[in-house]
Amino acid sequence: MSPDSSAFPARLERFATVESTQAVVRAWLDAGAPEVAVAVSDEQTAGRARLDRTWTAPPGAALLCSIGFRPAALTARHAWRLGAVVSLAMLDA
């Protein structure tokens, strides 16, 4: 999907293999991608987890997805709500 500010999500791409879906999304946002960008991969070779742990997965072993948000209408003091809503939506799905 090509970047388009009227689309939701603005950018969504699936990869066979990436080093890190998080690094892909971060690069898109740094380059000016609109608000919601999603990278999905079948395999991740050099991902990062919490506390500087590695996060790798062979093909088909895990759901590998990073979603980047840059919501202009969300104030910093309410940013925690975004994580809570996404978590509940994933549970529901």
Side-chain angles (χ1 to χ4, degrees), residues 11-13 15 23-34 37-40 70:
R11 185 157 187 181
L12 167 63
E13 288 190 43
F15 302 90
V24 170
V25 170
R26 179 173 288 147
W28 291 343
L29 294 175
D30 288 348
V38 181
V40 179
R70 190 181 307 148

Side-chain angles (χ1 to χ4, degrees), residues 13-21 24 38-45 57-66:
E13 288 190 43
R14 181 176 182 162
F15 302 90
T17 301
V18 294
E19 289 186 5
S20 166
T21 57
V24 170
V38 181
V40 179
S41 184
D42 295 327
E43 178 182 27
Q44 184 166 271
T45 60
L63 173 62
L64 303 168
C65 174
S66 290

Side-chain angles (χ1 to χ4, degrees), residues 3-6 9 12 15 22 31 33-34 36 39-40 50-51 57 65-68 70-71 73 77-78 80 89 91:
D4 176 2
S5 62
S6 66
L12 167 63
F15 302 90
Q22 183 181 27
V36 180
V40 179
R50 291 176 21 152
L51 304 174
C65 174
S66 290
I67 304 169
R70 190 181 307 148
R77 69 176 236 204
H78 295 295
W80 66 271
L91 177 66

